[in-house]
């Protein structure tokens, strides 16, 4: 009786583990292929960074430019976004990345892999992460990574099932601090 219980428990665990790995693999196989980071061929300049760029660089007035800055976006996620943008847009000539003293302060490290930023940015960028980026975050915050992977898996399965491969609202972009139109 106990042998049977142990067998069923072990078998169930193995099946669920394999299923979880297959789902994660599918997310990492489908989302990067289907998600478009393609922009107009006329765009030569990219702006990335945090809220200072998001609120301060109006790409409607800077010729051949596109602002992809997102408030509170750590450099890690900007790097992932930039990598995908450069892969799909061979006409990019210049990249401008926000830099300020806060971005390199000692407290910013923990903020990057802390619960709030992981919960907000990780589900979006997880399918595009390289293994070493995942390993880095795992080493920094093992507990929260396990929690956010569950959330990320759920959100990315929904994205795939609904065929929502556009990240246009999440890429960032110019947001005026006041409406002057």
């Amino acid at each position: 009786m106990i042998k049977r219980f142990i067998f069923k428990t072990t078998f169930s665990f193995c099946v669920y583990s394999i299923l979880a790995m297959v789902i994660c693999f599918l997310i990492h196989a489908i989302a990067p292929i289907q998600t478009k980071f393609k922009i107009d061929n006329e765009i030569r300049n990219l702006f990335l960074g945090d809220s200072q760029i998001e609120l301060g660089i109006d790409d409607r007035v800077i010729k051949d430019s596109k602002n992809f800055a997102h408030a509170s976006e750590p450099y890690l996620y900007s790097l992932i976004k930039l990598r995908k943008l450069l892969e799909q847009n061979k006409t990019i000539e210049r990249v401008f990345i926000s830099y300020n003293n806060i971005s390199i302060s000692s407290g910013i490290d923990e903020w990057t892999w802390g619960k709030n930023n992981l919960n907000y940015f990780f589900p979006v960028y997880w399918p595009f992460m390289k293994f070493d980026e995942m390993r880095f975050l795992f080493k920094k915050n093992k507990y929260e990574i396990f929690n956010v992977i569950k959330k990320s898996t759920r959100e990315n399965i929904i994205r795939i099932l609904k065929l929502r491969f556009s990240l246009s609202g999440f890429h960032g972009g110019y947001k005026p601090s006041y409406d002057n139109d």
Side-chain angles (χ1 to χ4, degrees):
M1 180 107 153
I2 290 179
K3 284 182 181 180
R4 189 171 160 194
F5 171 77
I6 291 173
F7 174 77
K8 283 185 174 184
T9 303
T10 305
F11 181 77
S12 296
F13 177 77
C14 290
V15 168
Y16 289 127
S17 296
I18 291 170
L19 182 62
M21 285 190 285
V22 167
I23 289 171
C24 289
F25 174 77
L26 288 174
I27 288 170
H28 280 271
I30 295 171
I33 293 169
Q34 295 297 324
T35 304
K36 305 297 180 228
F37 285 83
K38 188 79 177 120
I39 55 177
D40 292 337
N41 284 334
E42 295 81 36
I43 302 297
R44 302 284 183 257
N45 306 304
L46 295 180
F47 290 90
L48 291 102
D50 55 18
S51 60
Q52 292 181 358
I53 298 295
E54 180 184 49
L55 299 171
I57 302 293
D58 187 348
D59 53 13
R60 298 175 299 179
V61 251
I62 302 173
K63 187 179 178 199
D64 302 331
S65 296
K66 186 71 178 153
N67 183 340
F68 283 99
H70 193 288
S72 300
E73 185 171 78
Y75 284 134
L76 173 66
Y77 300 110
S78 292
L79 169 70
I80 295 165
K81 184 189 322 183
L82 177 60
R83 184 173 52 238
K84 296 306 291 181
L85 284 164
L86 292 176
E87 281 174 13
Q88 294 184 20
N89 300 284
K90 301 301 181 189
T91 60
I92 301 302
E93 296 173 3
R94 288 170 290 283
V95 176
F96 301 92
I97 301 176
S98 172
Y99 173 82
N100 59 57
N101 60 336
I102 295 172
S103 298
I104 59 166
S105 66
S106 59
I108 205 72
D109 289 343
E110 287 185 31
W111 176 80
T112 297
W113 51 76
K115 181 178 181 175
N116 289 341
N117 266 337
L118 279 177
N119 277 300
Y120 187 73
F121 289 106
F122 188 88
V124 175
Y125 292 109
W126 178 49
F128 312 107
M129 285 184 173
K130 292 184 175 183
F131 179 75
D132 60 331
E133 294 159 344
M134 278 290 303
R135 187 177 60 216
F136 171 77
L137 288 174
F138 181 77
K139 284 181 180 178
K140 297 299 182 180
N141 195 344
K142 291 176 184 74
Y143 174 76
E144 201 56 48
I145 283 292
F146 282 118
N147 289 332
V148 80
I149 283 178
K150 289 185 279 186
K151 175 186 178 190
S152 300
T153 303
R154 183 176 56 251
E155 288 182 15
N156 281 290
I157 287 171
I158 291 168
R159 256 185 59 214
I160 289 169
L161 292 175
K162 291 185 174 183
L163 302 176
R164 287 187 330 201
F165 296 109
S166 172
L167 294 177
S168 60
F170 203 86
H171 283 318
Y174 175 66
K175 291 187 178 119
S177 55
Y178 60 90
D179 192 4
N180 57 353
D181 289 333

